[in-house]
Amino acid sequence: MAAMPTSHSTLSLAPSKTIPVYPSDAFRVSYGANEGDGLSFAEDLMLDDVYILDALAQTISLSLARQGRVNIIADTSEAGISGSHIHLDCTVTLMDYGTKVTEVLVLVEVDAAGHANQVYLMPLAPLEPKVEYRLVGIDTQSADRKLAQVACVSFTRGTQIALATGRQRKVEDLRAGDAVLTRDCGAQKIRWIGQNTQRAVGAFAPIKIAAGELNNINDLVVSPDHRLFIYQRTDHLQLGRAELLIKARYLVNGTSVTIQEGGFVDYFQLLFDSHQIIYAEGIAAESMLVDDTTAPLLDKAVLKDLELNPNIHRELDERDVQKALLNRSDAIDLLRKASKG
């Protein structure tokens, strides 16, 4: 494989992230110019090549950490070599013979010299084994924005947000400058609001937490990686700390916390001068965190201001709870009880 450029960045340290990927050799060309080859980076791809996902292929976890301003593979990653750099190469568009379109992000693992060790694909909608997918688009410009939309925490249309006055207002009716109630900093004005509409499939399928499950009055529907704040009055999960931040997708149990697939979903991002815990449908949840992954969603003027203030957004790492610690069927019940005491 050819040498790849190492990544560059201008923002502050990013939090660790874990994304589901396939190794490139699980998705090979069955017909076309690159027949027999796995999915590669943009310069090696050929339009109209037909790919098939191996029947036994399973996603593996690629865990990313930050080293200065570069994405590296974390020590805990299932995929890749710890310490290797990760380069976000391109977005490819695939079409099956039923004309269904699927987008895939291509990520490249590179060594210190910038040479590619491995290529990974992150489907933005599920790929089906043995289905033929024709490569119909290669985009090297939008991959960072696509990943930002996946990584960014978002509320869905209709979500009630608590204002500083105590009143509730739907997220789509909020405006920059509105004062919102925060857990740690009192009333804080919204700096910026983002909005995008996605097909509710795969990485973009929202998570619904049914009313009452976390002592919420109404259903709460958020993006999969949106972290909810739990204060444990009693440590029922024996995590050794009272304050927790838990990704919504870690709580899915198929009954009271479910994946909402199908149709389209309107996502809204709320940005403050610093990373905040706010209240949505009565549940404490995080606001948008600006890091190198989510920055491409921001307006240029907002981004410039944040670059001049590199410490304006900091990760709440000490509160984060990993999925392995919640690997039990009664996790949501225990969290509900823990928050009541």
mmCIF file of all heavy atoms in Angstrom, residues 28-68:
data_model
loop_
_atom_site.group_PDB
_atom_site.id
_atom_site.type_symbol
_atom_site.label_atom_id
_atom_site.label_comp_id
_atom_site.label_asym_id
_atom_site.label_seq_id
_atom_site.Cartn_x
_atom_site.Cartn_y
_atom_site.Cartn_z
ATOM 1 N N ARG A 28 -14.724 -7.691 0.079
ATOM 2 C CA ARG A 28 -13.858 -7.827 -1.085
ATOM 3 C C ARG A 28 -14.599 -7.613 -2.403
ATOM 4 O O ARG A 28 -15.825 -7.803 -2.487
ATOM 5 C CB ARG A 28 -13.204 -9.216 -1.101
ATOM 6 C CG ARG A 28 -12.198 -9.431 0.022
ATOM 7 C CD ARG A 28 -11.524 -10.785 -0.105
ATOM 8 N NE ARG A 28 -10.504 -10.984 0.904
ATOM 9 C CZ ARG A 28 -9.246 -10.571 0.793
ATOM 10 N NH1 ARG A 28 -8.867 -9.944 -0.317
ATOM 11 N NH2 ARG A 28 -8.375 -10.775 1.756
ATOM 12 N N VAL A 29 -13.827 -7.263 -3.428
ATOM 13 C CA VAL A 29 -14.376 -7.087 -4.775
ATOM 14 C C VAL A 29 -14.632 -8.460 -5.384
ATOM 15 O O VAL A 29 -13.719 -9.281 -5.506
ATOM 16 C CB VAL A 29 -13.403 -6.290 -5.669
ATOM 17 C CG1 VAL A 29 -13.978 -6.157 -7.079
ATOM 18 C CG2 VAL A 29 -13.129 -4.906 -5.076
ATOM 19 N N SER A 30 -15.891 -8.707 -5.755
ATOM 20 C CA SER A 30 -16.245 -9.976 -6.396
ATOM 21 C C SER A 30 -16.221 -9.862 -7.916
ATOM 22 O O SER A 30 -16.097 -10.868 -8.624
ATOM 23 C CB SER A 30 -17.639 -10.429 -5.940
ATOM 24 O OG SER A 30 -18.622 -9.463 -6.314
ATOM 25 N N TYR A 31 -16.340 -8.629 -8.391
ATOM 26 C CA TYR A 31 -16.313 -8.401 -9.848
ATOM 27 C C TYR A 31 -15.853 -6.980 -10.109
ATOM 28 O O TYR A 31 -16.377 -6.033 -9.525
ATOM 29 C CB TYR A 31 -17.705 -8.616 -10.449
ATOM 30 C CG TYR A 31 -17.775 -8.308 -11.931
ATOM 31 C CD1 TYR A 31 -17.307 -9.224 -12.875
ATOM 32 C CD2 TYR A 31 -18.281 -7.094 -12.372
ATOM 33 C CE1 TYR A 31 -17.348 -8.929 -14.229
ATOM 34 C CE2 TYR A 31 -18.350 -6.803 -13.732
ATOM 35 C CZ TYR A 31 -17.869 -7.715 -14.652
ATOM 36 O OH TYR A 31 -17.902 -7.418 -15.986
ATOM 37 N N GLY A 32 -14.831 -6.832 -10.983
ATOM 38 C CA GLY A 32 -14.371 -5.493 -11.338
ATOM 39 C C GLY A 32 -12.866 -5.415 -11.426
ATOM 40 O O GLY A 32 -12.154 -6.431 -11.376
ATOM 41 N N ALA A 33 -12.354 -4.201 -11.550
ATOM 42 C CA ALA A 33 -10.932 -3.975 -11.778
ATOM 43 C C ALA A 33 -10.063 -4.480 -10.634
ATOM 44 O O ALA A 33 -8.942 -4.936 -10.848
ATOM 45 C CB ALA A 33 -10.684 -2.479 -12.002
ATOM 46 N N ASN A 34 -10.557 -4.386 -9.402
ATOM 47 C CA ASN A 34 -9.788 -4.817 -8.230
ATOM 48 C C ASN A 34 -10.251 -6.159 -7.686
ATOM 49 O O ASN A 34 -10.186 -6.408 -6.479
ATOM 50 C CB ASN A 34 -9.885 -3.757 -7.123
ATOM 51 C CG ASN A 34 -9.171 -2.475 -7.482
ATOM 52 O OD1 ASN A 34 -8.096 -2.502 -8.064
ATOM 53 N ND2 ASN A 34 -9.771 -1.342 -7.137
ATOM 54 N N GLU A 35 -10.709 -7.037 -8.581
ATOM 55 C CA GLU A 35 -11.284 -8.313 -8.153
ATOM 56 C C GLU A 35 -10.365 -9.053 -7.182
ATOM 57 O O GLU A 35 -9.166 -9.199 -7.405
ATOM 58 C CB GLU A 35 -11.563 -9.205 -9.361
ATOM 59 C CG GLU A 35 -12.296 -10.488 -9.021
ATOM 60 C CD GLU A 35 -12.785 -11.234 -10.257
ATOM 61 O OE1 GLU A 35 -12.787 -10.641 -11.352
ATOM 62 O OE2 GLU A 35 -13.177 -12.411 -10.096
ATOM 63 N N GLY A 36 -10.960 -9.479 -6.049
ATOM 64 C CA GLY A 36 -10.225 -10.204 -5.028
ATOM 65 C C GLY A 36 -9.657 -9.328 -3.933
ATOM 66 O O GLY A 36 -9.293 -9.831 -2.859
ATOM 67 N N ASP A 37 -9.565 -8.023 -4.180
ATOM 68 C CA ASP A 37 -8.997 -7.112 -3.186
ATOM 69 C C ASP A 37 -10.057 -6.652 -2.193
ATOM 70 O O ASP A 37 -11.241 -6.519 -2.528
ATOM 71 C CB ASP A 37 -8.401 -5.872 -3.862
ATOM 72 C CG ASP A 37 -7.165 -6.204 -4.687
ATOM 73 O OD1 ASP A 37 -6.629 -7.315 -4.520
ATOM 74 O OD2 ASP A 37 -6.754 -5.342 -5.489
ATOM 75 N N GLY A 38 -9.616 -6.355 -0.969
ATOM 76 C CA GLY A 38 -10.503 -5.761 0.016
ATOM 77 C C GLY A 38 -10.643 -4.262 -0.230
ATOM 78 O O GLY A 38 -9.886 -3.670 -1.004
ATOM 79 N N LEU A 39 -11.605 -3.657 0.445
ATOM 80 C CA LEU A 39 -11.807 -2.220 0.325
ATOM 81 C C LEU A 39 -10.527 -1.492 0.728
ATOM 82 O O LEU A 39 -9.913 -1.814 1.740
ATOM 83 C CB LEU A 39 -12.965 -1.770 1.214
ATOM 84 C CG LEU A 39 -13.458 -0.337 1.006
ATOM 85 C CD1 LEU A 39 -14.184 -0.200 -0.321
ATOM 86 C CD2 LEU A 39 -14.388 0.070 2.146
ATOM 87 N N SER A 40 -10.136 -0.484 -0.063
ATOM 88 C CA SER A 40 -8.891 0.225 0.193
ATOM 89 C C SER A 40 -9.167 1.710 0.324
ATOM 90 O O SER A 40 -10.326 2.143 0.395
ATOM 91 C CB SER A 40 -7.893 -0.046 -0.940
ATOM 92 O OG SER A 40 -6.625 0.502 -0.653
ATOM 93 N N PHE A 41 -8.090 2.528 0.366
ATOM 94 C CA PHE A 41 -8.289 3.961 0.440
ATOM 95 C C PHE A 41 -8.537 4.539 -0.939
ATOM 96 O O PHE A 41 -8.390 3.871 -1.961
ATOM 97 C CB PHE A 41 -7.141 4.664 1.168
ATOM 98 C CG PHE A 41 -5.770 4.121 0.879
ATOM 99 C CD1 PHE A 41 -5.096 4.479 -0.275
ATOM 100 C CD2 PHE A 41 -5.162 3.261 1.771
ATOM 101 C CE1 PHE A 41 -3.830 4.002 -0.530
ATOM 102 C CE2 PHE A 41 -3.889 2.785 1.535
ATOM 103 C CZ PHE A 41 -3.220 3.142 0.376
ATOM 104 N N ALA A 42 -8.919 5.813 -0.980
ATOM 105 C CA ALA A 42 -9.518 6.421 -2.166
ATOM 106 C C ALA A 42 -8.706 6.241 -3.436
ATOM 107 O O ALA A 42 -9.253 5.929 -4.503
ATOM 108 C CB ALA A 42 -9.780 7.907 -1.906
ATOM 109 N N GLU A 43 -7.392 6.434 -3.349
ATOM 110 C CA GLU A 43 -6.589 6.416 -4.568
ATOM 111 C C GLU A 43 -6.532 5.043 -5.221
ATOM 112 O O GLU A 43 -6.202 4.925 -6.405
ATOM 113 C CB GLU A 43 -5.176 6.918 -4.285
ATOM 114 C CG GLU A 43 -4.356 6.036 -3.370
ATOM 115 C CD GLU A 43 -2.991 6.628 -3.080
ATOM 116 O OE1 GLU A 43 -2.902 7.841 -2.807
ATOM 117 O OE2 GLU A 43 -2.005 5.861 -3.127
ATOM 118 N N ASP A 44 -6.868 3.981 -4.479
ATOM 119 C CA ASP A 44 -6.847 2.633 -5.040
ATOM 120 C C ASP A 44 -8.226 2.139 -5.478
ATOM 121 O O ASP A 44 -8.333 1.064 -6.078
ATOM 122 C CB ASP A 44 -6.280 1.642 -4.018
ATOM 123 C CG ASP A 44 -4.774 1.770 -3.841
ATOM 124 O OD1 ASP A 44 -4.159 2.509 -4.634
ATOM 125 O OD2 ASP A 44 -4.228 1.161 -2.900
ATOM 126 N N LEU A 45 -9.282 2.872 -5.162
ATOM 127 C CA LEU A 45 -10.633 2.417 -5.457
ATOM 128 C C LEU A 45 -11.011 2.679 -6.914
ATOM 129 O O LEU A 45 -10.528 3.638 -7.535
ATOM 130 C CB LEU A 45 -11.637 3.118 -4.536
ATOM 131 C CG LEU A 45 -11.482 2.841 -3.037
ATOM 132 C CD1 LEU A 45 -12.469 3.680 -2.241
ATOM 133 C CD2 LEU A 45 -11.658 1.353 -2.735
ATOM 134 N N MET A 46 -11.903 1.840 -7.435
ATOM 135 C CA MET A 46 -12.405 1.998 -8.798
ATOM 136 C C MET A 46 -13.926 1.970 -8.779
ATOM 137 O O MET A 46 -14.533 1.048 -8.222
ATOM 138 C CB MET A 46 -11.893 0.866 -9.699
ATOM 139 C CG MET A 46 -10.388 0.885 -9.928
ATOM 140 S SD MET A 46 -9.844 2.313 -10.904
ATOM 141 C CE MET A 46 -10.574 1.920 -12.508
ATOM 142 N N LEU A 47 -14.537 2.985 -9.380
ATOM 143 C CA LEU A 47 -15.990 3.016 -9.493
ATOM 144 C C LEU A 47 -16.487 1.807 -10.270
ATOM 145 O O LEU A 47 -15.815 1.320 -11.189
ATOM 146 C CB LEU A 47 -16.443 4.306 -10.172
ATOM 147 C CG LEU A 47 -16.220 5.601 -9.382
ATOM 148 C CD1 LEU A 47 -16.599 6.811 -10.241
ATOM 149 C CD2 LEU A 47 -17.019 5.596 -8.092
ATOM 150 N N ASP A 48 -17.661 1.332 -9.894
ATOM 151 C CA ASP A 48 -18.352 0.192 -10.509
ATOM 152 C C ASP A 48 -17.811 -1.160 -10.078
ATOM 153 O O ASP A 48 -18.367 -2.193 -10.473
ATOM 154 C CB ASP A 48 -18.367 0.279 -12.045
ATOM 155 C CG ASP A 48 -19.238 1.419 -12.534
ATOM 156 O OD1 ASP A 48 -20.261 1.699 -11.887
ATOM 157 O OD2 ASP A 48 -18.902 2.034 -13.563
ATOM 158 N N ASP A 49 -16.745 -1.196 -9.260
ATOM 159 C CA ASP A 49 -16.365 -2.476 -8.671
ATOM 160 C C ASP A 49 -17.508 -2.960 -7.768
ATOM 161 O O ASP A 49 -18.174 -2.166 -7.112
ATOM 162 C CB ASP A 49 -15.095 -2.333 -7.832
ATOM 163 C CG ASP A 49 -13.818 -2.450 -8.672
ATOM 164 O OD1 ASP A 49 -13.932 -2.664 -9.894
ATOM 165 O OD2 ASP A 49 -12.719 -2.324 -8.098
ATOM 166 N N VAL A 50 -17.706 -4.283 -7.750
ATOM 167 C CA VAL A 50 -18.781 -4.878 -6.964
ATOM 168 C C VAL A 50 -18.183 -5.613 -5.762
ATOM 169 O O VAL A 50 -17.291 -6.450 -5.918
ATOM 170 C CB VAL A 50 -19.624 -5.850 -7.818
ATOM 171 C CG1 VAL A 50 -20.682 -6.538 -6.953
ATOM 172 C CG2 VAL A 50 -20.271 -5.115 -8.979
ATOM 173 N N TYR A 51 -18.673 -5.277 -4.573
ATOM 174 C CA TYR A 51 -18.156 -5.841 -3.326
ATOM 175 C C TYR A 51 -19.185 -6.757 -2.670
ATOM 176 O O TYR A 51 -20.390 -6.556 -2.805
ATOM 177 C CB TYR A 51 -17.815 -4.718 -2.328
ATOM 178 C CG TYR A 51 -16.601 -3.902 -2.700
ATOM 179 C CD1 TYR A 51 -16.688 -2.891 -3.648
ATOM 180 C CD2 TYR A 51 -15.374 -4.133 -2.090
ATOM 181 C CE1 TYR A 51 -15.584 -2.129 -3.986
ATOM 182 C CE2 TYR A 51 -14.256 -3.372 -2.415
ATOM 183 C CZ TYR A 51 -14.368 -2.377 -3.370
ATOM 184 O OH TYR A 51 -13.265 -1.635 -3.694
ATOM 185 N N ILE A 52 -18.674 -7.733 -1.897
ATOM 186 C CA ILE A 52 -19.519 -8.624 -1.099
ATOM 187 C C ILE A 52 -18.909 -8.748 0.288
ATOM 188 O O ILE A 52 -17.691 -8.940 0.436
ATOM 189 C CB ILE A 52 -19.655 -10.017 -1.737
ATOM 190 C CG1 ILE A 52 -20.452 -9.949 -3.048
ATOM 191 C CG2 ILE A 52 -20.347 -10.984 -0.780
ATOM 192 C CD1 ILE A 52 -20.674 -11.292 -3.717
ATOM 193 N N LEU A 53 -19.755 -8.637 1.321
ATOM 194 C CA LEU A 53 -19.325 -8.839 2.695
ATOM 195 C C LEU A 53 -19.282 -10.326 2.992
ATOM 196 O O LEU A 53 -20.240 -11.049 2.705
ATOM 197 C CB LEU A 53 -20.286 -8.130 3.657
ATOM 198 C CG LEU A 53 -19.963 -8.222 5.145
ATOM 199 C CD1 LEU A 53 -18.692 -7.461 5.472
ATOM 200 C CD2 LEU A 53 -21.129 -7.681 5.972
ATOM 201 N N ASP A 54 -18.185 -10.782 3.570
ATOM 202 C CA ASP A 54 -18.033 -12.191 3.908
ATOM 203 C C ASP A 54 -19.175 -12.652 4.812
ATOM 204 O O ASP A 54 -19.589 -11.936 5.729
ATOM 205 C CB ASP A 54 -16.693 -12.412 4.613
ATOM 206 C CG ASP A 54 -16.414 -13.878 4.859
ATOM 207 O OD1 ASP A 54 -16.841 -14.387 5.916
ATOM 208 O OD2 ASP A 54 -15.785 -14.510 4.008
ATOM 209 N N ALA A 55 -19.665 -13.857 4.569
ATOM 210 C CA ALA A 55 -20.824 -14.379 5.297
ATOM 211 C C ALA A 55 -20.562 -14.491 6.795
ATOM 212 O O ALA A 55 -21.499 -14.408 7.598
ATOM 213 C CB ALA A 55 -21.214 -15.740 4.734
ATOM 214 N N LEU A 56 -19.318 -14.676 7.197
ATOM 215 C CA LEU A 56 -18.984 -14.844 8.615
ATOM 216 C C LEU A 56 -18.431 -13.570 9.242
ATOM 217 O O LEU A 56 -18.019 -13.585 10.404
ATOM 218 C CB LEU A 56 -17.957 -15.975 8.773
ATOM 219 C CG LEU A 56 -18.399 -17.359 8.280
ATOM 220 C CD1 LEU A 56 -17.276 -18.370 8.458
ATOM 221 C CD2 LEU A 56 -19.654 -17.814 9.004
ATOM 222 N N ALA A 57 -18.450 -12.486 8.497
ATOM 223 C CA ALA A 57 -17.846 -11.247 8.984
ATOM 224 C C ALA A 57 -18.599 -10.687 10.192
ATOM 225 O O ALA A 57 -19.831 -10.683 10.227
ATOM 226 C CB ALA A 57 -17.819 -10.210 7.875
ATOM 227 N N GLN A 58 -17.851 -10.241 11.169
ATOM 228 C CA GLN A 58 -18.401 -9.589 12.359
ATOM 229 C C GLN A 58 -17.644 -8.283 12.574
ATOM 230 O O GLN A 58 -16.443 -8.203 12.332
ATOM 231 C CB GLN A 58 -18.229 -10.477 13.599
ATOM 232 C CG GLN A 58 -18.961 -11.801 13.528
ATOM 233 C CD GLN A 58 -20.464 -11.643 13.675
ATOM 234 O OE1 GLN A 58 -20.927 -10.715 14.333
ATOM 235 N NE2 GLN A 58 -21.228 -12.549 13.080
ATOM 236 N N THR A 59 -18.357 -7.257 13.044
ATOM 237 C CA THR A 59 -17.660 -6.022 13.362
ATOM 238 C C THR A 59 -16.759 -6.236 14.581
ATOM 239 O O THR A 59 -17.048 -7.070 15.446
ATOM 240 C CB THR A 59 -18.631 -4.867 13.655
ATOM 241 O OG1 THR A 59 -19.482 -5.223 14.751
ATOM 242 C CG2 THR A 59 -19.458 -4.530 12.429
ATOM 243 N N ILE A 60 -15.663 -5.488 14.607
ATOM 244 C CA ILE A 60 -14.770 -5.483 15.752
ATOM 245 C C ILE A 60 -14.664 -4.047 16.250
ATOM 246 O O ILE A 60 -14.957 -3.093 15.519
ATOM 247 C CB ILE A 60 -13.377 -6.042 15.399
ATOM 248 C CG1 ILE A 60 -12.803 -5.335 14.167
ATOM 249 C CG2 ILE A 60 -13.435 -7.535 15.176
ATOM 250 C CD1 ILE A 60 -11.412 -5.802 13.791
ATOM 251 N N SER A 61 -14.260 -3.880 17.492
ATOM 252 C CA SER A 61 -14.217 -2.556 18.102
ATOM 253 C C SER A 61 -12.860 -1.901 17.864
ATOM 254 O O SER A 61 -11.817 -2.479 18.190
ATOM 255 C CB SER A 61 -14.474 -2.656 19.603
ATOM 256 O OG SER A 61 -15.783 -3.134 19.852
ATOM 257 N N LEU A 62 -12.912 -0.708 17.293
ATOM 258 C CA LEU A 62 -11.711 0.100 17.107
ATOM 259 C C LEU A 62 -11.784 1.244 18.109
ATOM 260 O O LEU A 62 -12.627 2.131 17.989
ATOM 261 C CB LEU A 62 -11.642 0.639 15.683
ATOM 262 C CG LEU A 62 -10.454 1.547 15.348
ATOM 263 C CD1 LEU A 62 -9.138 0.777 15.470
ATOM 264 C CD2 LEU A 62 -10.599 2.123 13.936
ATOM 265 N N SER A 63 -10.924 1.202 19.116
ATOM 266 C CA SER A 63 -10.934 2.215 20.173
ATOM 267 C C SER A 63 -9.852 3.247 19.893
ATOM 268 O O SER A 63 -8.683 2.898 19.685
ATOM 269 C CB SER A 63 -10.688 1.568 21.538
ATOM 270 O OG SER A 63 -11.731 0.672 21.857
ATOM 271 N N LEU A 64 -10.265 4.510 19.886
ATOM 272 C CA LEU A 64 -9.363 5.609 19.565
ATOM 273 C C LEU A 64 -9.070 6.437 20.803
ATOM 274 O O LEU A 64 -9.956 6.690 21.622
ATOM 275 C CB LEU A 64 -9.975 6.500 18.482
ATOM 276 C CG LEU A 64 -10.393 5.803 17.181
ATOM 277 C CD1 LEU A 64 -10.976 6.820 16.214
ATOM 278 C CD2 LEU A 64 -9.216 5.078 16.557
ATOM 279 N N ALA A 65 -7.832 6.842 20.931
ATOM 280 C CA ALA A 65 -7.421 7.764 21.986
ATOM 281 C C ALA A 65 -6.742 8.954 21.321
ATOM 282 O O ALA A 65 -6.659 9.018 20.090
ATOM 283 C CB ALA A 65 -6.483 7.058 22.960
ATOM 284 N N ARG A 66 -6.281 9.904 22.126
ATOM 285 C CA ARG A 66 -5.604 11.069 21.586
ATOM 286 C C ARG A 66 -4.165 11.103 22.066
ATOM 287 O O ARG A 66 -3.895 10.846 23.239
ATOM 288 C CB ARG A 66 -6.312 12.350 22.026
ATOM 289 C CG ARG A 66 -7.737 12.456 21.559
ATOM 290 C CD ARG A 66 -7.839 12.591 20.063
ATOM 291 N NE ARG A 66 -7.250 13.846 19.604
ATOM 292 C CZ ARG A 66 -7.046 14.118 18.320
ATOM 293 N NH1 ARG A 66 -7.335 13.240 17.409
ATOM 294 N NH2 ARG A 66 -6.540 15.275 17.974
ATOM 295 N N GLN A 67 -3.248 11.410 21.170
ATOM 296 C CA GLN A 67 -1.846 11.629 21.525
ATOM 297 C C GLN A 67 -1.460 12.962 20.915
ATOM 298 O O GLN A 67 -1.214 13.066 19.712
ATOM 299 C CB GLN A 67 -0.963 10.508 20.990
ATOM 300 C CG GLN A 67 0.481 10.597 21.461
ATOM 301 C CD GLN A 67 1.308 9.449 20.932
ATOM 302 O OE1 GLN A 67 1.598 9.389 19.737
ATOM 303 N NE2 GLN A 67 1.677 8.519 21.798
ATOM 304 N N GLY A 68 -1.477 13.998 21.775
ATOM 305 C CA GLY A 68 -1.309 15.338 21.224
ATOM 306 C C GLY A 68 -2.494 15.656 20.333
ATOM 307 O O GLY A 68 -3.628 15.682 20.781
#
